[in-house]
Amino acid sequence: MNFKLVLLWTDAMIFLLLAVALAGAWLIRQRPHLLLPWQRLFRSRIGMVSLLVLSLFIVVGLLDSMHYRVALPDKNGNGQTVYAAEVLSVFDTLVGDLRSQNEKTYSAPMAVYLYAKESMETADGKILREYPRLKYGGAHLQDPQNEHTGDVLKRSLYGLFAGWLGGVLLALLVVSVAAARSRTTARQWVEARQHTPLNAVLASVILLAMLFGLTANLAGAYHVLGTDKVGQDVLYLSLKSIRTGLVIGTVTTLVMLPFALFLGIAAGYFRGWVDDVIQYIYTVLSSIPSVLLIAAAVLMMQVTIEKHGEWFSSSVERADLRLLFLCLILGVTSWTGLCRLLRGEALKLRELEYIQAAQSFGVSSMRILSRHILPNVMHIVLIAVVMDFSALVLAEAVLSYVGVGVDPSTNSFGTLINNARLEMGREPMVWWTLAAAFSFMLVLVLAANLFADAVRDAFDPRLNRTGDAK
């Protein structure tokens, strides 16, 4: 084989979560009472558009979670396959030019010259201070002074048109396939869904396709978001940071849920000394400053990793283990809020008639918890998980900024912001790294928050919303 698959710990956790999500979707389709709140969610325009945006981030994260190592040429001719130390992902392969076309140092977005002047020798031996041409950005231009603006405009219009055409064709394909499956014409299928967010979703697909076409066409000739101190493309670094944000937001949830679920419903159902012990545990844990607790745990873990370098075959595996431990630490320290909510809900549910009837008939406590209590608190769990996702993404940025987050070699929004800290104080100011990290985080967190609001409206029985889409 020309490559060797590499399964990192966080890759395994991500695909485990994906398998659980697919199994849950299959289970929900089989039970109409579970499907009803999802149908309400699918009627929300804001919910579906934000889910579409989140899906793009998820696709990038999944592509960046399929890792491999390339086989090196057999120079000795002994037939043994030796693999490169560098661990790549499928995403790296798809955006190869963004990853490999590095400049010397800083360059502004869409620029054709470096951002700082350098001493250059002319043909007659004179030394001048000029802005050097970029090696890759705008390298196709013969006369950048006169051709740059027109070339950017032409590529932008062509990219927008190609994206619009691709988005329209994709929308028509989706409508045609759905109409064929329902055995109606495309027009009848669309008219039957006038009260659904179909139009908003199709319009969003076309707009996103135009944005993709614009970015892809410009990225083929320029650094759309500029380059950093070592000449790496900031757009590539921002896209690579998506996976870290998704890992922090999802894997931490996988760690947090067992603590919150078991302890929360146990405290509310059993009450007495069990409730007192669990309340004491999460009250004490909540009283400890979370940043200090996380910092202490991360530093101890970092010392352990540095002492046992033989555990890892590459720096990527070492950085991935630190990311996994950060998720574990965040999960252990962030379950208390959901535990309180579940305790209060379990206290209310245990007083209902069907729970008391089950107790009177001698049904075991574990069966009551699993068959009656747990299913009736899952809407709270789902709402809290979706709403906590954005908070965890922001927490990673803060922790990485103060130096107790992910490994410095791991691409993340926090490391981008940390690297931009000194760049903002230089003259001339390098602003685009911070702007790129801020923009990507804003879109990701905003989409997650809007989706969380839609999930809350659809799943919270107290709101009792059965009607109109927003």
Side-chain angles (χ1 to χ4, degrees), residues 26 74 77 79 177 239 259 265 311 320:
W26 179 83
D74 187 8
V177 172
L239 292 172
F259 292 99
I265 62 177
W311 291 352
D320 182 75

Side-chain angles (χ1 to χ4, degrees), residues 116-120 127-131:
K117 289 183 177 181
E118 293 184 357
S119 298
M120 303 177 62
I127 303 298
L128 298 177
R129 295 283 294 176
E130 295 290 346
Y131 295 100

Side-chain angles (χ1 to χ4, degrees), residues 427-444:
E427 181 62 34
M429 182 177 64
V430 178
W431 53 268
W432 48 86
T433 303
L434 181 63
F438 173 79
S439 300
F440 274 83
M441 281 189 63
L442 174 65
V443 174
L444 176 59

